[in-house]
Amino acid sequence: MIHDFGIVWSERGLLLSGLGNTTILSVLSAAAALLLGFVLTPALMAKQRWLSRAVRGFVDGMRCVPFLLFAYIVYYGLPSLGVRLDNWTSGLVALTIYNAAYMAEILRGAWSAQPREPIEAGIAFGFSSVALFRRIVLPPLLLAAGPVIGNQMIQIVKDSAFLTIIALPELTHAASSIQSRHYVPFAAFITAVLLYWGLCLVIEAGVSSIDRLAAARR
Amino acid sequence: MAKRVLDVAGVSKRFGALEVLSDISFQVEKGETVCVLGPSGSGKSTLLRCINWLERPDAGQIYLNGTEIGVNGGGIVMSDRELSRIRTRIGMVFQHFALWPHLTVLQNLMEAPVQVQKRPKAEVRDEALALLAKVGLSDKRDVFPAKLSGGQKQRVGIARALAMRPDLLLFDEPTSALDPELVGEVLVVMRELAREGMTMVVVTHEMGFARDAATRILFLDRGRVVEMASPEGFFSNPATERARQFIQRYAGRAANGGR
């Protein structure tokens, strides 16, 4: 068994590059999903019913599709519609769109729980449009939604493992190539699990620092 | 001759079928404290919110220092940006304080002068510290609003409005959300402002404050101006039956230990 971990150690370059790719995938798609969420959320709450219904349909639909299936559709399905994306683009697009639906729903919840008066005070004190959103609406919203957004980021890290099926060289892909090359499944996969865990600990540390900021303001 | 700060001319507002304000007209001269009184649902808060166009009036005009609010010379509704610029001239104090929860007390005071009025930060900070001293909260400058009592929050609310150096201060029932024992500390600050000659329009149920701090009383009922009088005239010799009933009800409440 020690010997098996020795083999994994000798392939550490492969694992670390997998970890690096998983991190890049997760960070980029989490940021993009959050941004897209900020676009979808106002639409979700729009007074125009056609708009809110359309976005609601997307959000609910996306949340009922298994991610693996969605990744299949983006990578293998879209080419039959004439859209051919390489595996990196497919992976990023799939993670982003899939999680934007969750982010929109998270932000909508936090948004509608925000008291109306401080925002009205912002308007009365001369804030408008972008400044109003950036200075008055957004900070309390992020503080309130921070922990749930953090959870979703952990979900994104884990979902990214599915992208091994489209041959994206992320962490799970690296672990499974090590195991097939050397036949050390237990050592290879446990090592990958520990690395995923480490990544999640980093996210959790970020969440708890947001939580401390929020607690001071409650 | 005193300078006219606010001129409300024939303002009406309806929500659906309900006419909340009908044809309201009054003027406020520089240094006046006008108290707006009236039963709940008489349109007092809506009137205040129409003054800075938080609610858009359906009819009538509002002038601040001679400039019409909300509508351009050509009768075109102002853009958000133009409205915002005028709103910085009008301070507002809210019933539920409406402080910005993510900012400290000092940051709450500095936020709009720095971000909206683009005044130099050091100058704004000095002024904000002086205002905090004035409302007796110097020691709370680095505290977040959630850690303050209601009375302290409202004093911050007043200081935040003053930090804008407004031409006019609007108070929307500033003590209605406070526990009775905290009302006094807020009224002390408001009385001092009135004495210093701040121009204020105060929607309130504090009859004591209206009686001895107001220069004039505006009595509203069902969205109409029923009486406009000096405090002495209004309280000792109301001209209408509606006002008489209103004063009696509040006098009864005060006698029962209420406010």
Side-chain angles (χ1 to χ4, degrees), chain B residues 186-207:
Chain B
V186 173
L187 292 182
V188 165
V189 173
M190 290 170 61
R191 280 201 172 88
E192 194 180 322
L193 289 177
R195 204 163 39 234
E196 287 172 1
M198 184 74 216
T199 312
M200 318 201 283
V201 176
V202 183
V203 170
T204 186
H205 292 287
E206 294 296 330
M207 297 304 139

Side-chain angles (χ1 to χ4, degrees), chain B:
Chain B
M1 195 186 114
K3 196 176 152 222
R4 177 155 300 168
V5 174
L6 179 69
D7 188 352
V8 174
V11 164
S12 299
K13 175 74 186 173
R14 46 171 65 247
F15 293 125
L18 183 69
E19 185 159 46
V20 188
L21 297 175
S22 67
D23 196 22
I24 304 270
S25 294
F26 68 100
Q27 293 80 35
V28 180
E29 311 295 330
K30 189 168 167 54
E32 269 203 289
T33 298
V34 172
C35 279
V36 183
L37 306 180
S40 315
S42 57
K44 306 183 295 292
S45 288
T46 306
L47 172 60
L48 213 58
R49 296 162 57 82
C50 280
I51 291 176
N52 62 0
W53 265 57
L54 280 181
E55 300 286 356
R56 182 177 163 174
D58 295 329
Q61 291 83 39
I62 294 157
Y63 300 89
L64 181 73
N65 290 324
T67 308
E68 184 166 4
I69 301 180
V71 182
N72 280 325
I76 302 156
V77 171
M78 285 182 170
S79 67
D80 276 359
R81 183 182 290 266
E82 290 171 295
L83 261 181
S84 298
R85 196 167 319 132
I86 288 211
R87 283 183 180 131
T88 62
R89 310 305 317 144
I90 306 173
M92 191 163 195
V93 176
F94 294 81
Q95 182 175 3
H96 298 284
F97 327 121
L99 300 177
W100 297 310
H102 57 293
L103 301 175
T104 64
V105 165
L106 182 60
Q107 289 168 337
N108 261 277
L109 266 63
M110 293 175 63
E111 180 71 4
V114 171
Q115 297 294 332
V116 180
Q117 293 180 319
K118 311 285 184 198
R119 280 158 53 194
K121 209 167 179 174
E123 169 204 301
V124 169
R125 187 186 154 86
D126 288 346
E127 211 171 294
L129 289 173
L131 285 169
L132 282 181
K134 182 179 183 147
V135 299
L137 291 172
S138 292
D139 55 326
K140 300 290 184 193
R141 58 185 240 193
D142 296 322
V143 166
F144 289 103
K147 305 286 188 271
L148 299 175
S149 73
Q152 291 170 334
K153 281 181 192 165
Q154 197 56 296
R155 284 186 281 155
V156 173
I158 294 171
R160 176 178 68 168
L162 291 172
M164 302 283 283
R165 297 179 177 164
D167 297 329
L168 172 69
L169 259 189
L170 306 176
F171 291 80
D172 189 7
E173 303 203 22
T175 54
S176 299
L178 297 178
D179 291 336
E181 73 270 22
L182 300 178
V183 169
E185 62 188 70
V186 173
L187 292 182
V188 165
V189 173
M190 290 170 61
R191 280 201 172 88
E192 194 180 322
L193 289 177
R195 204 163 39 234
E196 287 172 1
M198 184 74 216
T199 312
M200 318 201 283
V201 176
V202 183
V203 170
T204 186
H205 292 287
E206 294 296 330
M207 297 304 139
F209 176 82
R211 190 192 291 265
D212 52 50
T215 50
R216 274 187 303 151
I217 303 290
L218 187 69
F219 179 65
L220 289 194
D221 189 32
R222 291 175 205 155
R224 290 173 190 278
V225 178
V226 178
E227 284 197 39
M228 172 118 69
S230 69
E232 307 80 48
F234 179 77
F235 284 107
S236 49
N237 193 16
T240 60
E241 186 54 33
R242 290 293 304 161
R244 202 184 317 277
Q245 284 171 0
F246 177 79
I247 294 164
Q248 258 170 16
R249 199 159 56 242
Y250 271 90
R253 245 202 253 179
N256 293 330
R259 285 182 265 148

Side-chain angles (χ1 to χ4, degrees), chain A residues 27-42:
Chain A
V27 168
L28 286 181
S29 53
L34 192 57
L35 282 178
L36 197 52
F38 272 118
V39 175
L40 292 176
T41 305

Side-chain angles (χ1 to χ4, degrees), chain A residues 174-196:
Chain A
S176 86
S177 31
I178 292 171
Q179 89 82 19
S180 59
R181 203 176 299 166
H182 304 283
Y183 198 60
V184 285
F186 185 75
F189 291 139
I190 282 293
T191 309
V193 163
L194 291 175
L195 290 172
Y196 275 115

